[in-house]
Amino acid sequence: AGNAGVNPDPEARKHFWEVREAAWDSFIRVNFYGVINCTAAVVPGMIEKKAGRLVTIISDAGRVGEPNLEIYSGAKAGAAGFMRGAAKALGRHGITANCVAISATATPAIAARLEADPEKKKKMLSNYVIRRVGQPEDIANMVLFLASDASSWITGQTYPVNGGYSFNL
């Protein structure tokens, strides 16, 4: 399992038509091509062993879309589509491929931003059925399950781990 992503500073977010194509590059390279490159690096060894688990972390933006994050949302949706295709291609080799779609998680950067602005935090949490920011362990538990033999018959799926965010919109 792996995770890499870039997301713009919240203050610098603009619609895709308001910025030049060069500004899209980092989103697509890291959030989409990064998944393809990492997967391509590990798959030959998994095929040789006839076993493996691919778990990609995406954002709920890739599932529901987000204004001012259209390119980011598209790159994350692309990563999910890529993993579904990989699941179909690699299942005959004993390899599963799934995604975990996350929302706001209490990483140091996000926690600091939310603690600095209690009103922003309150507004953000109103979008979550479970009124708290996710903890890294919340995501890790799903990744651990998908990487284990307990999920050996699950492939090509995207699991939201988001405190109810995506269905509360």
Side-chain angles (χ1 to χ4, degrees), residues 53 94 96-98 145-146 148-157 159:
R53 302 281 182 268
T96 64
N98 294 287
F145 169 70
L146 291 172
S148 76
D149 286 340
S151 68
S152 65
W153 210 50
I154 299 171
T155 195
Q157 304 303 308
Y159 291 94

Side-chain angles (χ1 to χ4, degrees), residues 12-85:
R13 293 178 179 179
K14 292 183 178 180
H15 291 291
F16 70 95
W17 63 87
E18 298 173 329
V19 296
R20 297 280 179 225
E21 187 175 326
W24 309 343
D25 196 48
S26 66
F27 298 120
I28 295 168
R29 285 188 180 279
V30 174
N31 296 301
F32 183 55
Y33 292 146
V35 171
I36 296 169
N37 288 327
C38 290
T39 303
V42 299
V43 161
M46 291 178 172
I47 290 173
E48 187 177 309
K49 292 180 181 179
K50 298 194 180 305
R53 302 281 182 268
L54 299 167
V55 181
T56 297
I57 307 296
I58 68 165
S59 167
D60 257 350
R63 294 180 59 245
V64 300
E66 290 292 341
N68 292 352
L69 289 174
E70 299 91 353
I71 302 301
Y72 174 81
S73 297
K76 291 297 190 175
F82 170 74
M83 292 306 285
R84 284 189 299 276

